[in-house]
Amino acid sequence: MSKNLNKLLIPVLSVILGLVVGAIIMLVFGYNPIQGYSQLWNGIVGDVYVLGESIRQITPYILAGLAFAFAIKTGLFNIGIEGQLIVGWFAATYVGVVLDLPPGIHLIVALLAGGLAGALWGFVPGILKAKLGVNEVVVTIMMNYTALHVTNALVRAWAGKDTSERIHETASLRIPAWEEATMYSRMHAGIFVALIAVFVIWYILKYTTLGYELKAVGLNRDAAQYAGMNVERNIVIAMIISGFLAGLAGSMEGLGTFEYVATKSSLTGIGFDGIAVSILGANHPIGVIFGAVLFGALKYGSLSMPNPPAQIPEEMISIIIAIIVFFVASTYLFPWLKEKFTRKKGAN
Amino acid sequence: MKKQKWYLLLLLLAVSLVLAACGGGNDNAEGGDGGDEAAEDNFSVAMVTDIGGVDDKSFNQSAWEGLQAFGEEYNLEKGDNGYDYLQSNSDADYIPNLNQLVRRNFDLIYGIGFMLKEPIMEVADQNPEVNFGLVDDVIEGKDNVVSIMFKEQEVSFLAGVAAAKETKTGKVGFVGGMESPVISRFEEGFKAGVKSVDPNIEIIVNYVGSFGDAAGGQQAANAIYSQGADIIFHASGATGNGVFAEAKERIQQNPDQPVWVIGVDSDQYEEGKVSDDVNVTLTSTLKRVDVAVKEIAERAMNGDFPGGETITFGLADNGVELAETGGHIPQETWDVINEYKQKIIDGEITPPGTPEEYENFLKDLGIEE
C-alpha cells in the first residue's frame, strides 16, 4: 500500500512544490501569486475556448514526445525532431494545397506525406549512424537548420511570398462543429491521431518482435548483435519511425492549427520541448501523454497571465513555468532524500 | 508510514504559509480594482507583437511607443479599457493573443508585422464588430481591418544617398533579415540611392535568414567589412544587434579606420555607442510605426476608422524619415539628401521597391549591370 501511495504522491508533491517556489518568486517581485495562478488555471480550463486551445497545444507535444521516447528506447538521441517536424509541416501542407482528392482520402494522404517527409529526415542520420557510426546527435542538430532553411526557400519558391495558400477543406483536421462549440478555438481532430499513435507505439514496443529487438538494441547493442539481431537495420528503422512521428507532429500544425505553412525566422521549439515531454513521461508511450498535458497546458495557460489583474510580465512567467517543470523533472530527488533520511535513522 | 506523514506536514505548512501571505496581498489588489470599475468606457486600443517582442528596439517597440503616446494624450491607463500589448513567443500564439484582446473588449487591435496577416484575417472574420489594424502587409476586402504600409524604399533611398556620399572606400554593404517583400523595399531603395549618387560604388548584399540571430548578423557584417566596405545598412531587426557589435569591435581595435552602421526602423543611435566620443551609427531610417498607429487610433476614436483601406505612409507624410541624431552626416551631404527628398516628394524620383523596379531604375539612369 505504501508503495502505491508513494507513486501517486511524489509527482503531486513535486507539482505543488514547483507551484510554491513559483509563488514565492512572484511574491518577491511584488505580484500576486493567487491571481497569477488562478489566471493560469482559467487560461487552461476556464472556458471552452481555452480548453480547446489547450488541447490544440497538447496535440503536437504528444507526437513530438513520442518521437523522442521511441528513439531513446533504441538508445538513440533524436535531437532532430524539430527539423523532422518542420519538413513534415511543409509536406503535409503542400499535399493539402496542391492535390485535389475526396474528403478523408485527402486527409490521410496529407498526413502520410507529412509523416514520410519526417521519416526521410530521420532516415539520413539513421543510415549514417548504422553504416558509418556517425553520432546521430550531431547530424540531427545540424539537420534541424537544414530543414528550417530548405523549407523557407521552398515556401518562397512555391508560394512566391512568405505564406502559402490555405489547404483545401478536404485535407483539414479541423471540425467545424467543434470550432463553433468551442468559440472558434483551433482544436482539431489531430488529438485522435496523436492518441492512436500512442497506442500503436505502445503496442509495437510491448507486443511485437520488432519492438523487442529495438529495445534489446537500446539496452545493449553488443548483446543484441550476439543474439543474432541486425543492429544496423534496427537503428535505421528506429530513426525512420521516430522521424515519422515527428513529421506527424508537423502535420498537426499544417493541417490543423495553422492550415498553411509560413517561413520561419527560428525553429518552432516544439521538437525541443518534446524531449522534455518524453523525459517527464519517463520515456514511456503512456507517460508521454501526461508529460504533454502538463507541458502544453502550462505553455498555453501562461499566455493568460499578463492580462489584468495579475499583469505578470512575460519573462517572469517563463521562469515560473520552468521552475514547475524543473521540480516535476527532479521527481527522483524525493526517493533519494527519503532513502538518505531512512538510512540515517537506521544508523542511529 | 510515519515518515510520509512528516513529509506531508512540512509541505502543508509551506503551502499554507504562502497562501496566507498571498491572501493579504489579494485584499489590497481588490480594493484597487474597485476604484477602476467606476471609470467610464474609454476608447481602448491594444496590440499583439510578433515573436520579436515588445523590446525589439524596432517596429514592435515603436508601435508600443505609439500606443503609449496615444494613452498619455487621452488620459488612458495601461490595461483593460485603456491600452495594452501581448507578446507572442511562437507563431501559434498569434490567434490566442488576438482572441484574448477581443475578449477584453478592446475597440481596436493591432497586429504588428506581416506574420500576423493570416491570424488577423481569421479573427477579424469571427469578430466583425471589432476593428483590427495590420502593420506591414495588406488585407483586402474586410471592413473591420485597416492595413498600414510604409514606403521603406523612399527612406532607404535617402540612406543610400548618405552612404554613397560618406563612404571613403567606394564600397558599402547591406545586411537583410529574411528575404521578403518588405526587406526587398529596403534593399532595392538603398541600392538605387547609392547608384544615383555614384554608379561606381560597389554594394555587397548579405542575407542572414533570420530577424533574431545576432551572431549571424555579426558574421555577415564581418564578411562585408572584410571585403573593404565601410558603411553597412541593416534591415534585419534584432539580427542587426550583431552588425552593431561587429562595427564597435572594429572601431575599438582600429580607431583610424572608421566603420559605420545605418540603423533601421527606430533611432538606433544608442546601439552604436562605443564611448562618449565614439559612435558607429551614421544615421537610422525611421519607420514611424508609432506615428501611424497613433494616427489610425485617433481616426478610429473619432468614428472615422478607415476599414478596408490600405494607408501608406511615406516621406511626404512623415511616416518615414532619416534620423539626424549624432550629427555624423555633414551639412553638404544633408543638402544633397534634402534635394533628393524633395524630388521624391514631388514625384520626380520613384525609388524602386522590387528587384524588377530596381533593374528598370538602373536602365533609366543609363547603368548596365
Side-chain angles (χ1 to χ4, degrees), chain B residues 97-109:
Chain B
N97 276 343
L98 288 168
N99 271 318
Q100 286 199 41
L101 294 174
V102 167
R103 287 139 143 254
R104 283 166 60 186
N105 290 318
F106 283 97
D107 298 305
L108 171 61
I109 298 167

Side-chain angles (χ1 to χ4, degrees), chain A residues 59 107 172-175 178 187-194 252:
Chain A
T59 305
L107 174 59
S172 177
L173 280 167
R174 293 198 196 179
I175 302 169
W178 277 15
M187 179 181 173
H188 53 77
I191 187 72
F192 297 130
V193 177
M252 298 299 110

